[in-house]
Amino acid sequence: MATTTITKTEKLVGKRIRRREDPRLITGTATYVDDIKMPGMLYAAILRSPHAAAKIRSIDISKAKALKGVHAVFVGEDTKNAGAVPCGASLPGLRVPHHNLLAIDRVYLVGHPVAVVVATDRYVARDGAELIEVDYEPEAAVADPEKALAPGAHAVHPQWADNVAFTFHQEGGDVAKAFAEADVIVKQRIVSQRLIPNSMETRGVVADWHAADRSMNLFTSTQAPHLVRSLVAQILGLEENRFRVVAPEVGGGFGAKIQTYAEEILLAWISMKLQKPVKWIESRRENFLCTIHGRGHVDFYEIAAKRDGTITGIKLKIIQDLGAYFTVLTPAIPTLSVLMMPGLYRTPNIQADIVGAFTNCTPTDAYRGAGRPEATHGIERMVDMVAAELKMDPAEIRLKNFVRNEEFPFPTATGLVYDSGDYSAPLKKAMEMAGYDQLRKEQVEARKQGKLMGIGLCAYGEICAFGPSPATPAGGWESATVKIEPSGQVTVLTGISPHGQGEETTFAQITGDELGVGIDDVLVLHGDTSLVPYGIGTFGSRSTAVGGTALYYALQDLKAKVKKFGAMLLESEDVTLANGQCTDNKTGKSVGFKEIAAAAYRAMKLPPNTEPGLLATHFWEPPNFTFPFGAHLVVTDVDRDTGNVSIRRYIAIDDCGNILNPLIVDGQVHGGVAQGIGQALWEQAVYDDNGQLVTGEFMDYTMPRAHMMPWIESGHTVTPTPVNPLGVKGVGEAGTIGASPAVVNSVVDALSPLGVKHLDMPLTPEKLWKLISAGSNA
Amino acid sequence: MTETINVSINGTTYSHEVEPRLLLIHYLREVVGLTGPHIGCETSLCGACTVELNGKAIKSCSIFAIQCDGAKILTIEGMAADGKLHKIQEAFWNEHGLQCGFCTPGMIMTTKQILDRNRNPTDQEIRHGLDGNLCRCTGYQHIVNAVRAAARAAGA
Amino acid sequence: MIPQQFEYSAPKTLDEALGLLAEGAKPLAGGMSLIPMMKLRLASPEHLVDLGRIKDLNYIREEGGAIHIGATATHQDVLSSPLLRGKCPLLAETAAHIGDVQVRNMGTIGGSVAHADPSADYPAALQALEAKIVLKGAKSERTVSAEDFFVDTFTTALEPGEIVREVIVPIDGDGTGTNYQKVLQPASGFAIVGVAVRVRKQGEKVTLARIGVTGLSNRAFRAKEAEKALEGRSGSPAEIQAVAALVGQGIDANSDLHASAEYRLHLTAVYAAKALATALGRIA
């Protein structure tokens, strides 16, 4: 597929433009945290608990301290006044456990940091950690949220015997009436298993304290550098304006790098203590244990429907496995599931309850989709089950219940207002691409031959572009600053913090079009709190919809100023700015961008009421979320002999509103689908009863590899959002959200001749083989 | 307890004192200063650290630098020549074969091995050839496109 | 990620290496199993002897009617060897299933065999090939059959101070067909089960059947009951099914997260049938 060569007059938005960030990445010259080296820098290694629950009787650090090259060893007692890991979510009655940087008298999960060794290099630091002797008194642990809630379970936090962190209730409409008047009620327990985000770059921190001017430089692999700055500066009692956080090149996040982690605070604290720069790089094993996990839902669904397929009510009880502690959003994630529980359907009556359960496990938090994949998986499975109950085609029941085009903006029973949509369009497009009717005929024939062929649909909706500030824990706006340099080149500073999403390109496209300059004249900078006024960061499919909109408005302000200078130079009152020129609409005379920039900075003369320079900053507060949607259609064949699932066709139709760069949008969909298929078929964080993570390395946690992935046939429908002037909705999480129910629905469909109605993920071959062999014996 | 090794990396000869336990990836990154190869795991399963050793793609996290005494190593930094990107690098760029870029140096070096051995691989051969390299961002589809495009560019 | 300190030697001759090993040093071949274990500090040898510099350990050659493969021949050497592909294709085919491109470039047959991972690929083929493994110590050299070599999980017939010097596989003439079938553990790429089959026919009758199995239990083994059941038969589809069902019979099967014992046994039968059918179909 060819990419486009840009000339200054060509419109950039909407083109398949190869990325501006790639040259440094494909040459190996980008700078990730572990690539940073400073004079005198020390290395930290963290000793972590091998037990899920234990009292610490004693810690002997003498041997480690004596090791040549070790500068310092710190334990929980040393850091106990250094603050705690913050949780940003608030819910009524929420029990927030105090999350120390290093364990003090107890450990609560495997991987709990117990001591930190700081040494001249990473080899010596690791040797030092091995020399620390900790005397533990292990206790029984609980690693399953349903078991944690059962009477008599081990209390994760001794002060809260029931392991309940919070309960949450929400209802809309009249759910009792809906169920009383239902023709059919379908109930199902549905598990969205624990997953491990596994960005290819683990986390890492370099902290560099300068006592003389009380300033901190903290380099960290994060999605939200400003939030890290505000939180860590506050926790350590440092001045925020002297605290610089840099997210250098970041090797993927997927939600797991939104949080402010213990190590970010700890490393800053150590750097202050030792007056030296200090680096810590997470190992993969640590990443499995100490970076947040995702999902961890046990859902109990009940759906009420009429005989004609109209869905009239949904009841949902969520048991959320929270883990032992909270990170910044932990308790908030399941509330997002509740918001999206109606999916794309008109259902006016809902009731939801959440119980947040402590377990001796890694905290759960936002992982690609964060709450919405769980909700979509649930509703899309349930809709299929209702269709099966009513002997309706799964496409028909969806088309019947979709919010209709004329109903937008559509208020949902959960209190949201869906912005815009044409929900049947992607589903119909997917069915057309697949040849749905023909596939169903083929399936009839296949079944006659005893073959297990499945066709699965999913129609998904998302809540994206987080979001209006009142609905978010830390502000939901975004900022952009645009500078036209005296040379005429354009520098964009954005508050988002991309780490693979390509906004250095898409934002340059927006800027180029608005200012009429070539893409090569635009530079997009991000991820450095000393450069960018402030920002919220990259997550929740918000970067382009919110950050891009802030940029759009900053550009409007700047354009106005450019025009003023252009008018001054042209001695005109009526000018147009286009194609890098300001043109007098009467005389046709024009002045170039460079001349205008030079004049604005040279300031020999200024337009009336205008200051020198060309710079504009805009903070944009979104009036609503955006609600992208789409449909996936998956054709699977299940091998009777082995239970192996092979995906014959994977069709993904997404509607993310206007598309700025189709190449990047496709990439986002593909990556999302891979993670969704990963959840559906392979991935799972498995703990044993002692709280040991059994799938704690790539040896046992199945990551999708190239040979496992099907070819993804992607397509789009375009329904712009009215929420922002770019008409963009967000695409980062779409693939993940649509994929797991589409795959599971397909496999359930394949096994439906055996009487299978529901399957929990992952759909391992053994799980399916057992059902097939039981079915064929029956 | 160190020993001297002499290694040719990207055409330059280096001589260093190393501890036997120093892994090649740490030698390249910390001693030589080539931070293109990355570390993504400790179990030899992610391939982010892939470099070429005497003409073969290997995982530099699973070999000691001292084993490489006298060897010829090519890293991602040595792929572009005379200021011109290698065809594989161009292909990854054109096809959007990367997002966060962390796995990319390894992917490119493995692609070189695949194409050195098979000028015109099928999609299945490409996918199996990439078995030792994890990517969490792309779903591999654009990477497969990139390998194909690189094969085409090389005149397959 | 960081191994413990150790002493390192890289002798140029086998004798020198064996002298060091006799003093308690541990051998390092391709390092594909050992080095990850050292990084996780699951292995911490004090002295490593790198076999990689010993030239006369790296060969694949025909000698006395058999093929001799030196310990440090890599999986890539094996899978791409014209000699093996022509005269012992089962071993080349099996090597192609090991790990990934980079692992095959570094990992060696000697290292893999000596490590005796119960889910490694080679052992199945070596059992089916009735391979011989030559073990060498400072003062002795002996040859053991693959069957006697693989004793238990990570346990072989190697005595302290001994290394695998070479592996000897037979050359089968016309009338022989082979195949290796593997069920991949999707995370690690090791075998949940792997079945290697080597069959010979004269006319319509199977005159020799050898079936090696890996991944199913604590060690790779030969499925002798199944072999016997096939010999003398024609290898009809029904016979294949019956023989395949015998392959895992009586075996105390492994059970883990990726496959229960019951499922492993089932897969063994399914993939044994595939391997048998393919091998029979390949008889020239």
Side-chain angles (χ1 to χ4, degrees):
Chain A
M1 287 190 207
T3 47
T4 314
T5 312
I6 298 308
T7 63
K8 279 198 176 188
T9 52
E10 202 173 347
K11 197 164 148 51
L12 299 168
V13 163
K15 294 265 165 37
R16 252 183 128 74
I17 294 169
R18 65 182 188 172
R19 297 197 315 171
R20 318 271 311 142
E21 37 277 85
D22 286 0
R24 62 179 187 265
L25 300 169
I26 55 178
T27 53
T29 52
T31 304
Y32 298 84
V33 173
D34 198 13
D35 304 337
I36 295 168
K37 230 177 172 180
M38 291 182 180
M41 187 169 77
L42 302 175
Y43 292 79
I46 297 173
L47 180 72
R48 298 179 183 274
S49 168
H51 303 289
K55 286 200 182 87
I56 298 175
R57 287 205 199 97
S58 65
I59 304 178
D60 183 353
I61 59 169
S62 54
K63 283 183 194 152
K65 270 193 139 163
L67 184 70
K68 188 167 172 258
V70 169
H71 282 239
V73 181
F74 300 107
V75 297
E77 277 299 321
D78 301 316
T79 60
K80 76 176 174 192
N81 297 320
V85 182
C87 170
S90 56
L91 291 167
L94 182 67
R95 291 164 165 175
V96 182
H98 188 77
H99 188 164
N100 289 306
L101 305 185
L102 296 171
I104 294 178
D105 50 355
R106 312 175 64 93
V107 293
Y108 296 86
L109 68 160
V110 174
H112 200 145
V114 171
V116 56
V117 178
V118 189
T120 45
D121 71 42
R122 67 183 83 205
Y123 281 58
V124 177
R126 179 44 57 196
D127 289 345
E130 298 283 321
L131 292 172
I132 297 172
E133 289 164 12
V134 186
D135 184 11
Y136 294 102
E137 185 182 322
E139 296 176 350
V142 62
D144 175 285
E146 287 178 293
K147 286 182 184 163
L149 296 176
H154 165 77
V156 174
H157 297 281
Q159 67 271 35
W160 299 315
D162 57 7
N163 289 321
V164 174
F166 69 93
T167 59
F168 175 92
H169 176 83
Q170 185 174 342
E171 54 182 79
D174 189 345
V175 82
K177 186 162 174 275
F179 275 77
E181 293 173 359
D183 293 328
V184 55
I185 294 172
V186 178
K187 301 182 184 183
Q188 183 61 48
R189 175 181 182 273
I190 297 178
V191 177
S192 279
Q193 77 273 32
R194 246 185 199 261
L195 300 173
I196 296 172
N198 268 327
S199 57
M200 290 320 300
E201 184 208 27
T202 58
R203 290 185 299 116
V205 184
V206 173
D208 178 27
W209 170 248
H210 296 261
D213 53 8
R214 307 191 307 275
S215 75
M216 179 72 76
N217 292 317
L218 191 79
F219 299 82
T220 180
S221 184
T222 184
Q223 300 174 229
H226 279 93
L227 294 187
V228 170
R229 184 187 70 167
S230 293
L231 289 166
V232 180
Q234 187 190 17
I235 289 162
L236 293 175
L238 299 177
E239 296 146 280
E240 190 170 8
N241 56 352
R242 290 166 188 261
F243 200 118
R244 174 184 177 211
V245 172
V246 179
E249 206 73 60
V250 172
F254 312 110
K257 292 177 181 173
I258 304 170
Q259 301 72 17
T260 295
Y261 282 95
E263 292 85 358
E264 289 163 326
I265 308 163
L266 185 63
L267 267 280
W269 182 85
I270 292 171
S271 183
M272 290 170 72
K273 273 267 168 206
L274 302 181
Q275 306 278 322
K276 293 236 184 206
V278 189
K279 179 190 277 190
W280 167 78
I281 299 296
E282 189 181 50
S283 71
R284 179 58 59 184
R285 175 73 180 154
E286 285 178 299
N287 184 264
F288 267 95
L289 292 170
C290 311
T291 290
I292 63 105
H293 293 180
R295 318 286 191 265
H297 262 223
V298 183
D299 295 332
F300 298 86
Y301 271 93
E302 293 182 44
I303 286 215
K306 291 293 190 187
R307 205 167 310 283
D308 69 355
T310 306
I311 295 164
T312 51
I314 311 169
K315 286 191 208 170
L316 168 61
K317 183 185 169 190
I318 298 171
I319 295 176
Q320 172 72 47
D321 178 355
L322 299 165
Y325 280 124
F326 298 156
T327 44
V328 82
L329 298 170
T330 302
I333 303 302
T335 65
L336 295 173
S337 306
V338 169
L339 288 177
M340 289 310 292
M341 66 183 270
L344 299 180
Y345 310 112
R346 306 169 72 222
T347 320
N349 308 306
I350 66 102
Q351 177 188 306
D353 287 281
I354 306 172
V355 183
F358 288 118
T359 56
N360 290 106
C361 301
T362 301
T364 52
D365 200 313
Y367 168 54
R368 202 169 194 169
R372 294 97 89 204
E374 297 91 315
T376 307
H377 193 80
I379 187 68
E380 287 303 287
R381 278 269 56 244
M382 292 309 294
V383 166
D384 257 27
M385 291 185 73
V386 173
E389 186 73 25
L390 295 172
K391 304 206 173 355
M392 281 178 82
D393 186 277
E396 189 192 342
I397 191 167
R398 287 177 168 84
L399 292 167
K400 184 172 191 71
N401 284 284
F402 280 150
V403 173
R404 292 166 196 156
N405 292 3
E406 64 276 14
E407 291 175 322
F408 292 99
F410 178 82
T412 72
T414 56
L416 299 171
V417 180
Y418 288 174
D419 55 346
S420 62
D422 181 356
Y423 291 165
S424 60
L427 182 60
K428 285 179 177 163
K429 185 166 179 177
M431 291 165 69
E432 197 183 294
M433 271 171 73
Y436 185 74
D437 295 338
Q438 186 55 37
L439 277 172
R440 285 288 178 206
K441 282 180 199 148
E442 200 183 317
Q443 186 182 40
V444 171
E445 289 308 309
R447 282 178 178 169
K448 280 183 193 157
Q449 296 163 34
K451 289 185 182 154
L452 302 172
M453 169 187 168
I455 304 161
L457 301 176
C458 164
Y460 61 91
E462 302 177 72
I463 176 169
C464 287
F466 284 72
S469 293
T472 59
W477 47 265
E478 200 45 85
S479 84
T481 297
V482 189
K483 267 194 300 180
I484 297 171
E485 311 289 356
S487 61
Q489 280 141 357
V490 184
T491 306
V492 172
L493 309 173
T494 173
I496 62 156
S497 196
H499 41 282
Q501 296 86 348
E503 279 87 2
E504 288 178 37
T505 305
T506 48
F507 282 19
Q509 291 175 263
I510 295 170
T511 305
D513 279 359
E514 288 302 317
L515 294 179
V517 297
I519 198 164
D520 284 335
D521 290 322
V522 184
L523 176 68
V524 178
L525 298 174
H526 54 82
D528 184 341
T529 62
S530 68
L531 273 179
V532 177
Y534 203 91
I536 304 299
T538 287
F539 53 88
S541 303
R542 70 188 303 278
S543 294
T544 305
V546 189
T549 301
L551 170 62
Y552 174 85
Y553 282 119
L555 286 165
Q556 304 315 309
D557 295 348
L558 196 56
K559 267 159 70 175
K561 194 166 180 185
V562 169
K563 280 166 83 174
K564 279 192 194 172
F565 275 100
M568 178 190 80
L569 292 174
L570 292 166
E571 297 176 336
S572 161
E573 295 196 339
D574 180 16
V575 295
T576 303
L577 182 65
N579 300 334
Q581 304 264 322
C582 207
T583 307
D584 185 330
N585 290 337
K586 289 193 189 109
T587 64
K589 262 178 44 184
S590 63
V591 55
F593 210 76
K594 283 190 174 177
E595 276 173 78
I596 297 172
Y601 283 92
R602 185 62 187 84
M604 291 297 284
K605 198 178 154 200
L606 293 170
N609 303 318
T610 305
E611 293 153 0
L614 291 174
L615 180 142
T617 293
H618 194 97
F619 281 57
W620 188 63
E621 169 65 26
N624 190 3
F625 300 98
T626 62
F627 298 87
F629 57 95
H632 289 192
L633 190 154
V634 181
V635 185
T636 54
D637 297 289
V638 181
D639 182 354
R640 274 188 177 271
D641 283 340
T642 60
N644 280 338
V645 176
S646 53
I647 296 178
R648 193 197 302 182
R649 290 191 71 183
Y650 199 107
I651 297 170
I653 310 298
D654 186 63
D655 193 324
C656 59
N658 289 333
I659 293 173
L660 303 186
N661 185 331
L663 193 61
I664 289 176
V665 165
D666 279 348
Q668 289 295 311
V669 170
H670 295 163
V673 166
Q675 287 177 3
I677 295 177
Q679 174 170 20
L681 297 182
W682 309 299
E683 297 183 38
Q684 54 179 336
V686 178
Y687 282 91
D688 69 13
D689 287 342
N690 299 318
Q692 295 290 337
L693 181 61
V694 180
T695 53
E697 275 288 1
F698 287 147
M699 295 295 288
D700 287 303
Y701 187 90
T702 305
M703 295 276 282
R705 289 181 185 267
H707 77 267
M708 297 152 78
M709 282 295 298
W711 189 257
I712 300 160
E713 305 167 56
S714 57
H716 303 277
T717 60
V718 176
T719 311
T721 178
V723 173
N724 64 62
L726 299 172
V728 298
K729 290 193 169 189
V731 71
E733 295 155 298
T736 308
I737 292 170
S740 76
V743 172
V744 174
N745 284 345
S746 185
V747 175
V748 170
D749 185 46
L751 299 192
S752 62
L754 306 173
V756 171
K757 291 182 173 168
H758 174 71
L759 292 164
D760 275 327
M761 302 178 286
L763 305 180
T764 58
E766 175 161 9
K767 192 183 278 182
L768 303 187
W769 169 73
K770 281 190 167 147
L771 286 166
I772 295 164
S773 51
S776 55
N777 292 340
Chain B
M1 205 181 55
T2 58
E3 289 185 43
T4 306
I5 59 167
N6 296 292
V7 194
S8 160
I9 306 169
N10 303 333
T12 304
T13 306
Y14 296 86
S15 182
H16 287 107
E17 290 278 311
V18 297
E19 239 192 319
R21 65 167 168 168
L22 183 67
L23 295 161
L24 177 60
I25 183 69
H26 287 137
Y27 172 72
L28 292 171
R29 292 176 50 82
E30 309 274 322
V31 180
V32 183
L34 294 171
T35 56
H38 295 141
I39 303 169
C41 75
E42 48 266 353
T43 49
S44 207
L45 284 165
C46 84
C49 64
T50 301
V51 301
E52 201 180 272
L53 174 73
N54 296 329
K56 289 180 183 172
I58 58 131
K59 293 178 178 172
S60 64
C61 75
S62 297
I63 182 170
F64 298 110
I66 201 166
Q67 292 175 267
C68 304
D69 185 23
K72 229 177 116 181
I73 291 169
L74 179 69
T75 72
I76 185 69
E77 289 94 337
M79 285 291 277
D82 306 325
K84 217 172 155 255
L85 292 175
H86 191 281
K87 286 189 167 72
I88 299 171
Q89 292 171 311
E90 278 284 349
F92 270 73
W93 190 7
N94 289 336
E95 300 297 329
H96 188 27
L98 59 147
Q99 290 179 26
C100 81
F102 196 77
C103 74
T104 309
M107 285 287 178
I108 288 174
M109 298 312 289
T110 304
T111 299
K112 180 169 185 294
Q113 177 78 93
I114 294 169
L115 297 180
D116 281 350
R117 287 185 180 153
N118 182 352
R119 287 178 57 195
N120 191 17
T122 63
D123 275 15
Q124 211 194 349
E125 286 166 339
I126 293 170
R127 286 178 184 270
H128 279 283
L130 296 171
D131 256 355
N133 294 71
L134 284 173
C135 168
R136 194 57 153 167
C137 294
T138 63
Y140 303 99
Q141 192 149 317
H142 283 165
I143 294 178
V144 173
N145 286 347
V147 180
R148 270 199 230 146
R152 273 200 306 276
Chain C
M1 183 65 204
I2 314 279
Q4 275 182 19
Q5 287 180 337
F6 56 86
E7 195 185 328
Y8 174 85
S9 308
K12 293 215 164 59
T13 68
L14 184 54
D15 284 347
E16 213 182 320
L18 292 168
L20 294 166
L21 295 170
E23 291 163 16
K26 299 283 174 227
L28 169 67
M32 292 297 93
S33 303
L34 181 60
I35 294 176
M37 282 169 66
M38 289 173 71
K39 289 196 295 179
L40 294 168
R41 301 206 171 192
L42 299 171
S44 304
E46 285 173 14
H47 185 178
L48 277 187
V49 177
D50 184 355
L51 306 180
R53 310 255 164 202
I54 303 170
K55 288 217 170 62
D56 56 2
L57 274 182
N58 187 356
Y59 53 83
I60 299 174
R61 62 185 172 229
E62 190 173 341
E63 210 177 280
I67 301 172
H68 295 241
I69 305 151
T72 59
T74 64
H75 310 324
Q76 176 63 27
D77 292 337
V78 170
L79 77 90
S80 60
S81 155
L83 180 62
L84 285 166
R85 290 166 79 104
K87 296 187 173 175
C88 186
L90 178 59
L91 200 67
E93 183 181 28
T94 304
H97 282 271
I98 301 171
D100 51 54
V101 168
Q102 297 97 310
V103 167
R104 291 193 292 270
N105 279 340
M106 276 301 290
T108 65
I109 191 165
S112 169
V113 166
H115 186 53
D117 190 306
S119 38
D121 296 290
Y122 272 141
L126 297 180
Q127 293 283 11
L129 290 165
E130 296 172 281
K132 295 192 184 80
I133 296 163
V134 179
L135 315 181
K136 191 157 173 53
K139 290 188 181 126
S140 63
E141 178 167 301
R142 60 198 177 107
T143 301
V144 300
S145 66
E147 213 184 339
D148 292 336
F149 180 79
F150 296 106
V151 174
D152 204 339
T153 302
F154 303 126
T155 308
T156 67
L158 280 165
E159 295 290 341
E162 276 185 332
I163 62 155
V164 170
R165 186 170 73 83
E166 66 174 12
V167 173
I168 306 170
V169 292
I171 294 171
D172 286 318
D174 288 350
T176 308
T178 59
N179 181 233
Y180 179 63
Q181 292 280 337
K182 173 182 186 176
V183 184
L184 210 66
Q185 197 268 61
S188 69
F190 277 86
I192 285 180
V193 294
V195 184
V197 168
R198 171 169 158 250
V199 284
R200 196 174 299 148
K201 255 183 157 179
Q202 254 174 359
E204 281 307 298
K205 273 202 177 142
V206 175
T207 55
L208 174 125
R210 294 292 178 266
I211 303 170
V213 183
T214 189
L216 182 62
S217 64
N218 62 327
R219 58 180 282 263
F221 65 93
R222 254 180 68 191
K224 290 189 181 167
E225 290 300 314
E227 291 172 358
K228 262 189 246 162
L230 184 59
E231 285 171 350
R233 306 290 178 114
S234 69
S236 70
E239 285 165 2
I240 287 173
Q241 290 305 319
V243 168
L246 293 174
V247 170
Q249 205 175 56
I251 297 296
D252 183 13
N254 290 336
S255 188
D256 60 26
L257 177 73
H258 302 284
S260 68
E262 183 194 7
Y263 185 53
R264 263 198 170 75
L265 285 165
H266 170 75
L267 289 175
T268 303
V270 171
Y271 284 84
K274 286 182 203 278
L276 285 162
T278 308
L280 284 162
R282 282 178 178 175
I283 292 176

